[in-house]
Amino acid sequence: NLAAILTQEYSSTGVESLEDAIRENYVFCASRQIAEIVKGVHSELTPDRFVSDPVELGGDGRFGFNCPKCNARERVFDFMSLSQDKDPSLYCDAALASLEDLEVLHGRGLHCNKTR
């Protein structure tokens, strides 16, 4: 599986797959590359379902992180939030990333509260 859906803690909402998260209208954090791949497979995922690339860090404001100064592969985890009143233009419900990226961060003691 190219992309793994990652959540901050076990959720009782019944979301167990990417398809469930899409049905529940989750907002996603992802690098541009992964966002484009997943959008290609799941046509119901429109650009507004992804947090935008931050212009203030050199990004282009489009869906998915691609900015040269934002460390996109770690940023996908930094901007996950369980808060119900979060700003969906800045924070996401779940990240789409490679499992290897998460394992590397866990190995460094980072984002240990996030699981597959």
Side-chain angles (χ1 to χ4, degrees):
N1 192 357
L2 177 61
I5 185 167
L6 305 160
T7 58
Q8 286 190 341
E9 62 185 39
Y10 179 77
S11 172
S12 60
T13 63
V15 174
E16 296 180 13
S17 68
L18 177 58
E19 291 76 14
D20 289 344
I22 292 169
R23 272 192 299 279
E24 292 293 324
N25 291 315
Y26 273 35
V27 173
F28 298 98
C29 290
S31 69
R32 175 78 47 79
Q33 179 182 14
I34 288 180
E36 287 177 343
I37 291 168
V38 175
K39 268 181 34 52
V41 175
H42 296 278
S43 59
E44 64 273 34
L45 274 179
T46 55
D48 63 326
R49 299 282 299 276
F50 293 90
V51 175
S52 299
D53 196 26
V55 175
E56 65 276 6
L57 294 176
D60 59 13
R62 293 180 54 225
F63 70 95
F65 303 137
N66 197 37
C67 53
K69 298 178 185 175
C70 74
N71 192 8
R73 292 172 70 178
E74 189 169 340
R75 187 177 185 86
V76 299
F77 303 109
D78 290 339
F79 285 82
M80 292 173 64
S81 174
L82 294 174
S83 173
Q84 295 296 324
D85 59 348
K86 67 183 164 293
D87 179 347
S89 70
L90 298 175
Y91 297 97
C92 59
D93 301 302
L96 298 173
S98 71
L99 184 56
E100 292 81 11
D101 285 348
L102 182 62
E103 290 172 344
V104 166
L105 292 170
H106 281 178
R108 294 181 4 214
L110 301 171
H111 297 288
C112 295
N113 62 329
K114 296 173 178 104
T115 60
R116 180 180 163 168

